[in-house]
Amino acid sequence: MRNALLTILGILLLLGVAAIALFAWLTRTPEPAEPPAPSAGERTVEAAGMSWRVREDGPAAAPAIVLIHGFSHSLESFDGWAEALSDDYRIIRFDLPGHGVTGPHPDGAYSNGDTAAQVAELLDALELDRFVIGGSSLGGLVSWRYAAAHPERVAGLVLVSPGGYSINNVGDEPVEVPVPVQLYLRLAPDAGIRMATQTLYGDPSRLTEDRIAQIGQMMRQPGIGEALIARLQQFTLPDPEPLLASIEAPALILWGTADTVVPVSHAPRFESVMPHARLVTYDGAGHALMEEYPVETSADVRAFLEDIGWQ
């Protein structure tokens, strides 16, 4: 009997040690990734108390389009659109605070209101006058908030599955960030990035290995994991309709019917409340619409830009 008890205690001790070791491994601080080599048209711009990674494509004197990426991604999200549109337009992209090479905000200010105000300061620093602004998911939310606050500067609005209406019980107050989500954002493991990114595509076969590696590299930049967690801890989705209804600029709303992040049922709500909005849906496409179908979506954006006659 005594030997059996010792054996059981020994097994429990080993399991306890294994659990502690697993917890220590899961919560370890990962090695930061090296930043990518700067591309042509890339520079650092000082604004809102920090240094922003900014990239511009296309003729400097051409009509300007500002494109803002979504949560946990970077300016590379709009590579396809930049390639398709930069022959006739000045395409301006940047990594948001707490993302990519821009890095964490020094004050940890990541609320949606803070971010929209920070972007406004960046666009002031870029000395932009009147332009089209757009974005995907979080970037779309920031874009329409900017358009509501600065109507005199916004010639048009392009939204790809934008945030706005309540999802995952997020409303006027933030919700607790689950521990597994915190671990994923802190560690950015290859398998987790692959799985998470595949859910953003209606057709995962369109997702490339290079894109998976690129996202991982950006999520592993110094301090980014903790910044992403902090953003979620500050993230709210109050009723967007008073602001959306005030936006007079023409708006193009693009949505994939297989979006598993922000449901396509939100799309007609945006279209109905915004005075001059037009909705285009893509059958079977997912949340990362501009990445999954860059040719088709950029063609719709080009037609919209030509139609609003703002140049």
Side-chain angles (χ1 to χ4, degrees):
M1 183 68 176
R2 180 172 177 274
N3 288 340
L5 288 174
L6 289 174
T7 299
I8 292 171
L9 288 173
I11 292 172
L12 291 175
L13 179 61
L14 286 173
L15 289 174
V17 170
I20 292 171
L22 177 62
F23 179 80
W25 181 83
L26 288 174
T27 57
R28 76 195 190 286
T29 301
E31 289 295 323
E34 289 293 322
S39 299
E42 193 167 306
R43 60 190 171 116
T44 299
V45 177
E46 300 296 324
M50 60 188 309
S51 300
W52 300 62
R53 176 197 184 209
V54 178
R55 184 181 299 170
E56 296 194 27
D57 300 278
I65 308 169
V66 175
L67 297 173
I68 308 176
H69 65 80
F71 178 76
S72 80
H73 285 190
S74 61
L75 61 80
E76 281 82 4
S77 292
F78 284 99
D79 278 353
W81 283 16
E83 181 179 354
L85 299 171
S86 60
D87 53 346
D88 295 313
Y89 298 96
R90 177 187 176 193
I91 310 298
I92 300 168
R93 297 174 285 159
F94 45 84
D95 291 348
L96 285 168
H99 291 77
V101 181
T102 292
H105 191 278
D107 297 329
Y110 298 117
S111 74
N112 295 330
D114 288 330
T115 303
Q118 293 154 6
V119 167
E121 290 192 45
L122 172 64
L123 299 182
D124 286 345
L126 293 174
E127 299 182 342
L128 296 176
D129 183 16
R130 189 166 167 80
F131 49 90
V132 168
I133 188 169
S136 168
S137 198
L138 170 64
L141 189 159
V142 172
S143 296
W144 66 253
R145 287 189 67 118
Y146 180 90
H150 304 275
E152 74 286 352
R153 300 179 70 178
V154 176
L157 191 57
V158 179
L159 304 177
V160 182
S161 301
Y165 292 95
S166 178
I167 54 173
N168 300 325
N169 297 316
V170 178
D172 292 335
E173 299 294 331
V175 298
E176 185 175 352
V177 183
V179 171
V181 173
Q182 294 191 42
L183 290 175
Y184 165 70
L185 295 174
R186 184 175 288 119
L187 301 176
D190 290 336
I193 291 170
R194 179 183 301 277
M195 183 179 301
T197 310
Q198 284 177 339
T199 66
L200 303 181
Y201 283 62
D203 178 4
S205 69
R206 289 178 171 267
L207 176 63
T208 67
E209 293 297 319
D210 286 346
R211 181 61 180 139
I212 294 171
Q214 192 177 61
I215 292 171
Q217 181 183 29
M218 289 301 178
M219 290 182 67
R220 297 187 194 107
Q221 293 300 303
I224 295 304
E226 296 301 329
L228 294 174
I229 294 169
R231 180 175 291 278
L232 290 183
Q233 291 170 336
Q234 300 173 41
F235 189 73
T236 60
L237 289 171
D239 180 10
E241 294 196 351
L243 287 180
L244 290 174
S246 73
I247 298 172
E248 293 292 336
L252 176 67
I253 303 171
L254 309 178
W255 223 296
T257 62
D259 191 331
T260 60
V261 178
V262 184
V264 70
S265 60
H266 289 195
R269 300 173 72 181
F270 273 91
E271 184 184 31
S272 65
V273 76
M274 298 177 73
H276 305 290
R278 181 170 66 89
L279 171 64
V280 178
T281 58
Y282 300 80
D283 190 38
H287 188 63
L289 188 58
M290 67 290 178
E291 296 184 26
E292 188 175 1
Y293 293 98
V295 174
E296 295 85 350
T297 53
S298 63
D300 283 330
V301 172
R302 179 180 288 277
F304 170 74
L305 296 174
E306 293 172 350
D307 185 56
I308 61 176
W310 58 289
Q311 294 94 324

